[in-house]
């Protein structure tokens, strides 16, 4: 007998989904009247402590309700339950920044949430009557205003069952879809003939998901890793091992690879709703992304229409492509970005940037807030990028100069706000006097307290300005507002993985920074809300380094999937006469490197790319190369290229020509990973230097942090990140089993064991050569091909 489907839903999500209405308006912060963040949490606890012994705080409430064809399992947490003589009162606490004089009645969604808790509790306790109390608290003054209403059980039940009934049509639509999806998954076979090792890789992914573990995959180009990861994850969903997969990427181009993989499976009969989340700035219909009803016609009344737009797309089983979402948004006159977020709740697969899952200020709260967990499967592509991205997402800085700039702006506008800014500036001045270059500090808590006061004043000011009809504020003010808020959010995360320090930068700017050296713990906060995680990349060496910085588990699985491309199609050379060490740099060395480049492109007519450690180094070599470069076409990466300029750069590699072409690019830049120049579009890559990052305070802090823990600090701060750039750059050549090409590594340090132990297994055959032998070795390689 088929077991009845159980749908889990939080009380908050139910009421916000069914009862949402009105405009999109984020002119303040988009969150000021929602459950207030840091200060709201503290205020919650303070109010709860003041309520006496008859008050029970944070009461978990659950109810499983039979519906037509499924069971609805509702979960939530009441802020408090007060037993007052013969009465039972459900208390819901909300922190607000507006004056309580303006709070004339409870916000309908807030009240609905409390009424759901009241119904569940009354039903479980057999109560005939129960009261609901809405407690609003001003974050600045800590004043409290309460609204209380009494309900009979019968009227609550009638209201509650009507709410559930409105949700039922959505649930039934989803259940029918999932039946169709699962049936198609069972019938969908792997879309290709398995390459050597690809079946084992796919089996490892499925096994990891089955055991609810994490898997690290080092999979070189040619292993077919995208499909080998995606296919078993889809199969796992069909077997009930997950209900939604997140395909996470760092760059747009890898999102396209995931979309293509889903399309291939759909051509084989798979019914699977996948959606790619496009950044708000890119999908917005307006010239300026201003999300309020005065600036954007799609924001006006958006929430009144968006559920109809979503239901229509799901019911008609329209594909959730960017184009179809934009059409639907036009037809229903709603915001395309918000529509895509709502559709993601009903999708089986979500393709998106890392920040939609991991960023504490930008993650999808509908999936990852309030400790909501789901049967999520995380597929993390180009996972080597997540270390630095993780550090960025979980670090925060405040600059003294930004405080002063906003203080000047506010000078004649708001005395309280200016006083708070002065107080922050004064403390930063004291810290600056004690700092020559950078200075580690044990705690920035006194500074954070002053920032909390500043944030409250900024929120109050914004609310008053909005009520006075002055919604627009200077960019500098709003930027500081978000920075302060982020700093305080990060401050809540501080633990042994953080270093707190002050720094006087070379430019003279002074900052206080919370630096997340090891992001693993913070990443795990979100990953633990799912079932399983697959980290995969063509450059995940050494795997122990990535395990240390991306996971907190000690029993994660790891797989090395070797490329099965013919070894004889690849020639790897190390230039013995080249060095990029600072002590060796100068005109003579730039000329030697230019010689190597010239001899390489003379070996065979075709397209080549040379990757350099910096723009300055690239320009110095370019100057020497141009003296030797007759007959070689040059195409050069510039620092701030638009998307069109990038496309034009890559289009140069499509053209046929009767002379060699050499691209000058920077390691770690937009062309050093993610681009796919197959066959004869690229026949050689020259990597100039070991990719080691420049010495800076952050890098030195990382080095010292790991040294103090008995680990090789230099490797963690410099060697591993540098070699990852080298491997990524070299990976631009040899993209298919038919490709033939050369990889030239120009730095004598590549002959050292500490660098060579980071070479992938496919690089075991290499030769060392000087400038005089290189042309001959090139010609010999190409003749034999």
């Amino acid at each position: 007998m088929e077991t009845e489907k159980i749908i889990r839903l939080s009380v908050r999500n139910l009421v916000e989904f069914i009862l949402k209405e009105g405009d999109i308006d984020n002119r303040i912060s988009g969150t000021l009247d929602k459950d207030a963040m840091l200060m709201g949490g503290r205020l919650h606890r303070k109010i709860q402590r003041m309520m006496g012994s008859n008050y029970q705080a944070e009461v978990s409430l659950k109810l499983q309700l039979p519906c037509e064809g499924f069971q609805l399992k509702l979960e939530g947490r009441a802020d408090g339950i007060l037993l007052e003589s013969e009465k039972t009162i459900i208390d819901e606490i909300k922190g607000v920044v507006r004056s309580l004089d303006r709070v004339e009645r409870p916000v309908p969604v807030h009240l609905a949430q409390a009424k759901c808790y009241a119904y569940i509790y009354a039903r479980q306790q057999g109560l005939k009557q129960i009261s609901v109390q809405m407690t609003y608290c001003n974050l600045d003054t800590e004043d409290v205003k309460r609204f209380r209403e009494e309900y009979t059980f019968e009227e609550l039940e009638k209201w509650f069952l009507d709410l559930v009934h409105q949700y039922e049509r959505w649930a039934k639509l989803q259940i029918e879809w999932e039946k169709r999806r699962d049936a198609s998954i069972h019938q969908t076979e792997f879309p290709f003939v398995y390459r050597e090792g690809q079946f084992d890789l796919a089996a490892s992914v499925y096994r990891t998901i089955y055991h609810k573990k994490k898997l690290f995959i080092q999979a070189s180009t040619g292993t077919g890793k995208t499909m080998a990861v995606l296919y078993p994850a889809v199969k796992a969903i069909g077997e009930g091992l997950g209900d939604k997969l997140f395909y996470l990427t760092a760059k747009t181009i890898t999102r396209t690879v995931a979309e293509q993989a889903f399309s291939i499976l759909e051509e084989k009969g798979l019914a699977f709703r996948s959606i790619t989340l496009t950044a708000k700035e890119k999908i917005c219909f307006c010239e300026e992304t201003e999300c309020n009803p005065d600036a954007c016609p799609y924001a006006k009344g958006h929430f009144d229409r968006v559920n109809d737009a979503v239901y229509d797309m799901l019911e008609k089983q329209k594909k959730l492509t960017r184009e179809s979402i934009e059409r639907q948004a036009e037809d229903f006159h709603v915001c395309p970005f918000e529509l895509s977020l709502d559709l993601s709740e009903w999708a089986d697969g979500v393709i998106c940037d890392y920040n939609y899952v991991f960023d504490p200020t930008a993650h999808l709260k509908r999936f990852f807030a309030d400790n909501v967990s789901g049967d999520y499967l995380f597929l993390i592509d180009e996972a080597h990028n997540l270390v630095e991205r993780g550090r960025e997402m979980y670090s925060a800085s405040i600059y003294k100069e930004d405080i002063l700039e906003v203080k000047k702006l506010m000078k004649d506008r708001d005395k309280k706000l200016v006083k708070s800014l002065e107080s922050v500036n004064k403390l930063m001045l004291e810290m600056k006097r004690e700092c020559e270059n950078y200075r580690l500090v044990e705690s920035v808590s006194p500074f954070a307290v002053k920032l909390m006061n500043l944030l409250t004043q900024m929120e109050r000011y914004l609310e008053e300005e909005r009520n006075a009809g002055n919604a627009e504020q200077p960019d500098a003010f709003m930027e500081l507002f978000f920075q302060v808020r982020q700093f305080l959010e990060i401050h809540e995360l501080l633990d042994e993985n953080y270093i707190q320090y002050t720094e006087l930068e070379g430019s003279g700017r002074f900052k206080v920074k919370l630096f997340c050296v090891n992001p693993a713990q913070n990443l795990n906060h979100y990953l633990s809300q799912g079932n399983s995680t697959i980290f995969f990349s063509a450059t995940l060496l050494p795997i122990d380094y990535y395990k240390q910085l991306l996971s907190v588990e000690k029993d994660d699985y790891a797989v090395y999937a070797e490329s099965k491309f013919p070894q004889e199609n690849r020639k790897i050379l190390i230039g013995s006469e080249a060095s990029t060490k600072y002590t060796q740099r100068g005109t003579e060395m730039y000329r030697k490197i230019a010689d190597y480049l010239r001899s390489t492109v003379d070996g065979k007519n075709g397209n080549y790319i040379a990757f350099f450690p910096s723009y300055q180094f690239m320009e110095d070599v370019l100057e020497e190369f141009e003296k030797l470069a007759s007959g070689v076409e040059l195409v050069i990466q510039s620092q701030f290229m638009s998307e069109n300029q990038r496309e034009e750069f890559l289009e140069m590699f499509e053209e046929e020509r009767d002379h060699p072409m050499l691209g000058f690019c920077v390691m770690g830049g937009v062309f050093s990973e993610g681009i796919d120049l197959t066959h004869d579009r690229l026949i050689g890559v020259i990597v100039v230097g070991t990719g080691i990052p420049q010495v800076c305070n952050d890098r030195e802090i990382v080095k010292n942090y790991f040294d103090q823990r008995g680990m090789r600090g230099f490797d963690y701060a410099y060697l591993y990140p540098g070699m990852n750039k080298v491997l990524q750059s070299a990976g631009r050549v040899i993209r298919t089993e038919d490709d033939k090409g050369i990889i030239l590594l120009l730095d004598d340090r590549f002959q050292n064991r500490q660098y060579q132990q980071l070479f992938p297994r496919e690089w075991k055959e290499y030769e060392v050569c000087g400038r005089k032998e290189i042309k001959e070795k090139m010609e010999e390689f190409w003749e034999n091909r």
Side-chain angles (χ1 to χ4, degrees):
M1 181 179 167
E2 189 180 340
T3 55
E4 214 169 20
K5 171 88 173 174
I6 295 175
I7 292 180
R8 287 171 57 200
L9 192 65
S10 74
V11 167
R12 182 173 178 169
N13 282 355
L14 173 68
V15 298
E16 288 186 352
F17 173 61
I18 297 297
L19 301 177
K20 61 187 172 187
E21 59 183 12
D23 310 328
I24 299 171
D25 194 344
N26 68 352
R27 276 177 292 197
I28 299 190
S29 69
T31 62
L32 296 187
D33 276 342
K34 293 182 182 176
D35 287 1
M37 27 166 268
L38 304 161
M39 310 226 7
R42 290 194 183 87
L43 219 44
H44 263 59
R45 294 188 286 276
K46 186 173 179 180
I47 291 168
Q48 288 164 339
R49 284 195 300 271
M50 291 166 61
M51 294 300 291
S53 58
N54 293 333
Y55 190 90
Q56 191 181 354
E58 301 298 327
V59 181
S60 181
L61 295 168
K62 295 180 182 180
L63 175 67
Q64 193 155 313
L65 203 67
C67 297
E68 192 182 325
F70 67 98
Q71 296 275 328
L72 181 63
K73 189 175 183 179
L74 277 174
E75 301 171 306
R77 191 183 294 273
D79 290 329
I81 297 177
L82 176 63
L83 302 176
E84 200 177 76
S85 62
E86 298 295 309
K87 287 186 176 179
T88 302
I89 300 136
I90 300 291
D91 190 27
E92 187 68 15
I93 305 168
K94 300 292 180 186
V96 294
V97 292
R98 66 177 59 179
S99 165
L100 293 181
D101 294 339
R102 296 201 188 97
V103 182
E104 296 173 0
R105 65 185 68 84
V107 175
V109 173
H110 295 170
L111 182 60
Q113 196 175 338
K115 283 169 73 175
C116 284
Y117 296 144
Y119 170 73
I120 295 170
Y121 190 77
R123 174 174 168 148
Q124 289 171 348
Q125 301 298 321
L127 303 177
K128 291 184 178 177
Q129 285 194 311
I130 191 166
S131 295
V132 167
Q133 177 172 281
M134 288 302 307
T135 300
Y136 284 96
C137 183
N138 183 280
L139 293 175
D140 182 19
T141 63
E142 297 192 9
D143 291 341
V144 171
K145 188 171 187 175
R146 292 185 171 93
F147 302 88
R148 189 182 288 188
E149 195 159 343
E150 194 166 353
Y151 298 93
T152 65
F153 178 75
E154 286 75 17
E155 62 183 317
L156 270 182
E157 184 167 59
K158 183 175 183 296
W159 171 85
F160 178 82
L161 293 179
D162 178 62
L163 188 71
V164 170
H165 179 67
Q166 291 181 61
Y167 181 75
E168 274 185 293
R169 70 180 185 126
W170 292 85
K172 283 193 271 192
L173 189 68
Q174 185 68 1
I175 288 165
E176 286 304 310
W177 167 258
E178 287 177 6
K179 282 180 184 172
R180 184 186 158 208
R181 178 199 71 191
D182 292 351
S184 78
I185 290 173
H186 293 145
Q187 292 169 5
T188 302
E189 296 182 353
F190 195 77
F192 309 115
V193 175
Y194 279 108
R195 297 178 190 175
E196 189 182 342
Q198 196 178 22
F199 177 83
D200 292 337
L201 183 55
S204 297
V205 171
Y206 187 88
R207 196 159 47 242
T208 301
I209 293 170
Y210 181 83
H211 291 296
K212 297 190 173 183
K213 296 280 192 179
K214 294 189 182 81
L215 173 65
F216 287 80
I217 301 172
Q218 154 71 24
S220 302
T221 306
T223 50
K225 62 181 177 291
T226 302
M227 192 61 80
V229 168
L230 189 61
Y231 176 76
V234 169
K235 278 289 185 185
I237 286 176
E239 297 298 329
L241 301 175
D243 61 12
K244 188 187 291 286
L245 69 82
F246 288 89
Y247 192 106
L248 307 176
T249 73
K251 293 186 165 60
T252 306
I253 196 147
T254 37
R255 270 165 253 170
T256 307
V257 171
E259 288 167 352
Q260 289 168 348
F262 275 121
S263 294
I264 290 165
L265 290 172
E266 284 164 14
E267 286 166 14
K268 296 290 182 181
L270 177 68
F272 199 86
R273 284 190 194 130
S274 64
I275 186 169
T276 301
L277 297 181
T278 305
K280 185 190 289 186
E281 293 73 23
K282 289 186 179 178
I283 202 171
C284 180
F285 290 146
C286 304
E287 279 187 31
E288 295 288 327
T289 309
E290 293 184 55
C291 305
N292 66 73
D294 294 340
C296 173
Y298 298 93
K300 182 82 174 165
H302 164 90
F303 292 114
D304 301 329
R305 300 181 295 273
V306 71
N307 278 6
D308 290 337
V310 172
Y311 194 87
D312 180 75
M313 280 200 95
L314 300 179
E315 188 180 38
K316 293 175 180 173
Q317 295 185 5
K318 297 178 183 177
K319 282 198 165 191
L320 307 183
T321 62
R322 176 174 173 174
E323 294 72 27
S324 66
I325 289 168
E326 288 177 343
R327 279 196 302 273
Q328 191 81 347
E330 286 277 18
D331 292 346
F332 282 80
H333 211 66
V334 294
C335 166
F337 178 71
E338 290 292 333
L339 174 61
S340 69
L341 294 186
D342 284 350
L343 285 165
S344 72
E345 293 197 55
W346 306 96
D348 308 305
V350 180
I351 303 168
C352 60
D353 188 87
Y354 297 154
N355 66 344
Y356 286 103
V357 172
F358 298 119
D359 193 322
T361 58
H363 66 254
L364 298 171
K365 291 180 174 59
R366 60 195 73 208
F367 299 118
F368 306 109
D370 300 331
N371 294 316
V372 173
S373 59
D375 293 330
Y376 308 140
L377 307 179
F378 298 107
L379 311 181
I380 302 180
D381 197 358
E382 304 287 11
H384 61 274
N385 285 305
L386 190 52
V387 173
E388 289 303 328
R389 281 286 297 276
R391 282 183 178 143
E392 287 169 24
M393 288 188 280
Y394 301 116
S395 298
S397 301
I398 296 289
Y399 281 88
K400 182 179 181 296
E401 290 70 24
D402 295 344
I403 297 287
L404 276 174
E405 183 184 357
V406 173
K407 183 188 155 195
K408 286 175 190 170
L409 282 171
M410 296 292 121
K411 188 180 175 185
D412 301 318
R413 299 196 193 189
D414 192 291
K415 285 183 180 176
K416 276 189 180 178
L417 179 53
V418 169
K419 188 178 177 185
S420 184
L421 287 160
E422 279 175 353
S423 181
V424 173
N425 182 58
K426 186 180 175 185
L427 182 54
M428 292 191 85
L429 188 59
E430 290 172 17
M431 298 164 94
K432 183 178 178 181
R433 287 188 186 123
E434 296 173 353
C435 177
E436 290 183 16
N437 174 10
Y438 78 94
R439 178 173 177 266
L440 304 188
V441 291
E442 277 189 29
S443 171
V444 296
S445 292
F447 179 64
V449 169
K450 290 197 179 292
L451 286 183
M452 279 178 213
N453 178 262
L454 174 59
L455 183 65
T456 305
Q457 295 300 334
M458 294 178 97
E459 288 178 332
R460 173 194 55 76
Y461 171 78
L462 284 167
E463 178 69 16
E464 288 174 2
E465 287 291 291
R466 185 171 72 163
N467 289 326
N470 305 323
E472 295 299 317
Q473 295 300 327
D475 288 346
F477 178 92
M478 293 310 300
E479 281 169 21
L480 181 64
F481 172 77
F482 291 121
Q483 285 165 11
V484 170
R485 200 173 69 176
Q486 183 189 9
F487 191 97
L488 290 172
E489 286 183 351
I490 297 300
H491 188 260
E492 289 286 293
L493 302 175
L494 292 183
D495 59 15
E496 70 279 3
N497 297 299
Y498 276 84
I499 296 292
Q500 304 167 64
Y501 71 96
T502 59
E503 181 179 12
L504 186 58
E505 295 181 347
S507 62
R509 281 168 63 82
F510 177 75
K511 73 180 177 192
V512 180
K513 182 164 182 175
L514 310 176
F515 181 34
C516 181
V517 180
N518 185 348
Q521 190 71 50
N522 288 326
L523 294 169
N524 190 67
H525 172 74
Y526 296 101
L527 294 178
S528 64
Q529 293 177 47
N531 284 0
S532 180
T533 303
I534 313 297
F535 299 96
F536 58 107
S537 170
T539 55
L540 215 55
L541 296 174
I543 276 184
D544 283 346
Y545 164 74
Y546 290 100
K547 280 185 173 183
Q548 180 81 30
L549 295 178
L550 298 178
S551 175
V552 297
E553 312 297 338
K554 300 300 178 201
D555 58 350
D556 295 330
Y557 302 155
V559 170
Y560 192 113
E562 281 191 58
S563 170
K564 301 304 175 185
F565 290 167
Q567 285 286 336
E568 62 271 16
N569 284 356
R570 180 195 292 113
K571 181 77 170 176
I572 299 171
L573 295 166
I574 297 174
S576 60
E577 297 176 54
S579 175
T580 58
K581 290 177 185 170
Y582 283 96
T583 54
Q584 299 285 311
R585 294 184 183 186
T587 304
E588 187 181 347
M589 182 55 70
Y590 301 143
R591 193 174 299 128
K592 285 181 183 178
I593 291 169
D595 274 349
Y596 270 113
L597 299 184
R598 178 78 227 205
S599 298
T600 301
V601 299
D602 281 349
K604 179 178 165 62
N605 183 33
N607 298 330
Y608 300 80
I609 296 181
F611 290 100
F612 294 87
S614 67
Y615 283 98
Q616 184 59 56
F617 198 106
M618 178 179 84
E619 286 163 14
D620 290 336
V621 174
L622 178 62
E623 189 179 333
E624 294 304 314
F625 186 83
E626 285 177 328
K627 297 171 185 175
L628 318 167
S630 58
V632 180
E633 186 171 349
L634 301 179
V635 54
I636 298 153
Q637 177 183 353
S638 58
Q639 254 181 301
F640 304 106
M641 296 176 89
S642 66
E643 259 183 69
N644 282 344
Q645 287 171 323
R646 291 178 201 172
E647 283 171 19
E648 286 168 10
F649 182 96
L650 292 174
E651 280 167 9
M652 295 289 287
F653 291 83
E654 304 284 348
E655 296 171 20
E656 285 191 21
R657 48 178 63 79
D658 55 10
H659 52 269
M661 185 181 82
L662 177 59
F664 276 67
C665 297
V666 172
M667 260 188 275
V670 289
F671 302 117
S672 65
E673 60 178 288
I675 64 167
D676 212 23
L677 299 171
T678 54
H679 306 302
D680 57 358
R681 292 160 69 203
L682 186 66
I683 64 167
V685 162
I686 303 101
V687 181
V688 182
T690 57
I692 283 178
Q694 284 189 319
V695 173
C696 66
N697 290 338
D698 273 7
R699 290 282 163 197
E700 287 299 289
I701 287 167
V702 171
K703 176 181 175 294
N704 295 335
Y705 175 93
F706 285 106
D707 277 340
Q708 286 164 13
R709 283 155 181 77
M711 300 154 87
R712 295 193 299 271
F714 174 81
D715 293 359
Y716 275 72
Y718 296 101
L719 179 61
Y720 298 155
M723 281 301 290
N724 193 284
K725 287 184 191 174
V726 169
L727 299 180
Q728 279 291 331
S729 300
R732 295 315 95 214
V733 75
I734 313 285
R735 306 295 298 172
T736 75
E737 60 187 13
D738 300 321
D739 290 5
K740 301 170 184 66
I742 61 98
I743 296 168
L744 173 60
L745 306 174
L746 289 184
D747 198 297
D748 53 10
R749 284 174 285 185
F750 286 122
Q751 297 176 71
N752 297 349
R753 184 176 170 274
Q754 68 177 135
Y755 290 89
Q756 291 193 355
Q757 66 187 7
L758 298 174
F759 284 6
R761 292 176 195 172
E762 301 82 60
W763 285 18
K764 55 183 175 283
E765 292 179 20
Y766 62 86
E767 290 183 58
V768 179
C769 65
R771 285 176 291 159
K772 289 180 180 173
E773 307 115 72
I774 191 163
K775 187 178 178 185
E776 181 186 328
K777 290 199 179 287
M778 293 292 168
E779 288 173 348
E780 181 187 328
F781 170 74
W782 290 117
E783 277 171 21
N784 292 335
R785 301 287 77 72

